[in-house]
Amino acid sequence: MSTILGLGLIIVSVYFLGQNIIFTTHLYSSWLQKTSATASVLALLAGVGSLTFWRRELGNFGWFFIAIGIILVFLNSAVILQPTSLWTFVVAMLAFASGYQLLTSGRIRF
């Protein structure tokens, strides 16, 4: 039961911090932008697939493909970070720390 509660608290913390992050794409459309978006999806799929199915043979290449995919996502789009209140940040960090302790040890230590 504590692991489910811990996972729930981590998800709540990600929600509180993530509601002030906006991902957008560029307004113009070009051939290079479409190629970058396709390459990012393919790189992420190749990375997750190699980490899942071929861990011993191609495990190190999986992390490389995931890094390339993340870089291409940021090159293809824009990230807007809106201001976060101190209260939201404190609640999110407390939820994350409590959830992580519940997930790993089964109890909260203050």
Side-chain angles (χ1 to χ4, degrees):
M1 183 67 179
S2 65
T3 57
I4 294 172
L5 183 61
L7 189 60
L9 284 172
I10 290 174
I11 290 171
V12 165
S13 72
V14 169
Y15 169 75
F16 275 123
L17 288 178
Q19 63 183 329
N20 292 326
I21 300 172
I22 300 171
F23 291 97
T24 62
T25 57
H26 296 290
L27 296 176
Y28 60 90
S29 179
S30 68
W31 178 79
L32 183 61
Q33 183 181 8
K34 291 177 185 175
T35 305
S36 177
T38 305
S40 66
V41 170
L42 291 177
L44 287 171
L45 286 174
V48 170
S50 66
L51 284 174
T52 305
F53 298 113
W54 301 291
R55 180 113 179 122
R56 292 185 183 153
E57 295 88 10
L58 298 173
N60 292 333
F61 287 117
W63 293 112
F64 174 73
F65 285 135
I66 288 175
I68 294 296
I70 291 171
I71 289 169
L72 287 175
V73 164
F74 282 108
L75 288 177
N76 188 32
S77 61
V79 179
I80 300 170
L81 300 174
Q82 294 181 341
T84 303
S85 69
L86 182 61
W87 174 250
T88 304
F89 184 75
V90 168
V91 168
M93 288 297 110
L94 282 174
F96 185 79
S98 302
Y100 182 74
Q101 285 182 1
L102 279 173
L103 197 62
T104 57
S105 66
R107 59 184 223 178
I108 299 174
R109 296 182 192 136
F110 286 107

